[in-house]
Amino acid sequence: QVQLVESGGGTVPPGGNLRLSCTASLINFDQLDMAWFRQAPGKERVLVATITNREIPAYFIDHGRFIISRNKNAMYLSKDDLTPEDTAVYTCAARFPTSFFTKDDWTYWGQGALVTVSS
């Protein structure tokens, strides 16, 4: 069974930086398309960004602010100049490539990492 594990959450002061990692217990990690979601308190989970197994990124919120990347071992999400509105549980997800892109229908999910932006 695939396990996704996020790391890098915690409390960050306003203006600070977000640096999250997601690792997967799967031999063929590099074959997966991957994504970051976030869920702010009291709000629905939203798709932040995706990156294909060919390292092609796509962004769905705060265009130009997030950076998604990956290597053969992990996927990453970064953002600078955080505000309290960035407070959320950030969750990574993965799936084998599909013929048609959908925002939903991700097969594997991490437990999520809480990021709190507060002074």
Side-chain angles (χ1 to χ4, degrees):
Q1 184 175 355
V2 175
Q3 288 186 319
L4 300 179
V5 179
E6 302 91 347
S7 61
T11 299
V12 182
N17 304 321
L18 175 73
R19 299 287 186 269
L20 297 174
S21 301
C22 174
T23 56
S25 60
L26 181 67
I27 295 175
N28 297 324
F29 172 81
D30 57 353
Q31 295 183 7
L32 299 174
D33 290 343
M34 302 198 70
W36 284 103
F37 288 79
R38 79 176 186 184
Q39 185 169 17
K43 297 186 178 181
E44 294 186 352
R45 184 172 61 195
V46 297
L47 177 61
V48 175
T50 61
I51 188 164
T52 70
N53 60 0
R54 298 183 179 183
E55 302 185 23
I56 299 173
Y59 300 96
F60 298 87
I61 63 171
D62 287 353
H63 294 273
R65 301 281 320 277
F66 285 100
I67 297 176
I68 188 171
S69 61
R70 65 186 295 171
N71 57 30
K72 64 179 181 179
N73 298 314
M75 176 182 65
Y76 307 94
L77 184 71
S78 63
K79 186 180 183 184
D80 296 332
D81 195 21
L82 296 177
T83 70
E85 287 68 37
D86 292 309
T87 294
V89 175
Y90 289 77
T91 305
C92 64
R95 66 188 178 195
F96 287 97
T98 58
S99 299
F100 299 97
F101 176 81
T102 60
K103 288 187 176 182
D104 302 311
D105 301 327
W106 293 84
T107 307
Y108 309 109
W109 292 87
Q111 292 298 311
L114 175 62
V115 175
T116 302
V117 183
S118 174
S119 55

